[in-house]
Amino acid sequence: MEKDCLFCKIASGQTPTEILFEDDQLVVFKDINPAAPVHLLIVPKKHIRSINDIAEADLPIIGQMHWVAREMARQHGVSSSGYRLFTNVEKGGGQLIFHLHMHLIGGWK
Ligand code: AMP
Ligand code: ZN
């Protein structure tokens, strides 16, 4: 838990947010400023700043993020239509919140 980190606060329940999925490693919630009809954020509970900061010990979390993304896509009806998964890395990559997260967007007509 990193002081003043919004996603740490959401993941720990300190900032009330509708949590769509939770397990021991991750939470999933809707992006507050959706870029698509379905826009979810898949967020590890552990504070990792960005992809640059992943340690080898974190690899199971990265796998779990994809596994859960696949399940969220199914639950939100975009599996067969298709969707994008992406992670912005540091300022030049468009990262605004410096707590690792994966975007799932889809649902366009
Ligand atoms: P990134 O640019 O990859 O760091 O994306 C950060 C995302 O977090 C943006 O798409 C924001 O709209 C989203 N966001 C910021 N604050 C919140 C919040 N309180 N709840 C949900 N999503 C948020
Ligand atoms: Zn954090």
Side-chain angles (χ1 to χ4, degrees):
M1 170 101 197
E2 184 92 350
K3 198 170 155 286
D4 299 329
C5 171
L6 175 63
F7 285 1
C8 279
K9 288 181 179 161
I10 290 176
S12 66
Q14 276 184 47
T15 296
T17 300
E18 186 191 355
I19 300 297
L20 303 177
F21 173 87
E22 177 170 12
D23 67 12
D24 57 334
Q25 299 198 95
L26 305 178
V27 290
V28 178
F29 50 90
K30 287 184 182 161
D31 195 292
I32 205 168
N33 185 21
V38 175
H39 189 167
L40 308 181
L41 298 174
I42 295 140
V43 181
K45 290 182 173 177
K46 180 180 177 183
H47 182 86
I48 300 168
R49 178 183 164 95
S50 83
I51 289 278
N52 287 341
D53 302 282
I54 294 166
E56 197 173 354
D58 298 325
L59 293 181
I61 297 175
I62 306 305
Q64 183 71 357
M65 287 170 77
H66 287 79
W67 183 254
V68 169
R70 169 182 179 269
E71 179 59 19
M72 291 294 106
R74 195 188 62 74
Q75 284 185 19
H76 289 80
V78 297
S79 287
S80 49
S81 56
Y83 54 97
R84 288 182 60 206
L85 297 175
F86 63 94
T87 297
N88 298 323
V89 183
E90 291 295 339
K91 292 189 183 71
Q95 188 175 4
L96 297 172
I97 307 270
F98 295 98
H99 177 130
L100 180 66
H101 54 280
M102 187 160 71
H103 296 254
L104 185 166
I105 63 173
W108 304 278
K109 289 281 173 270

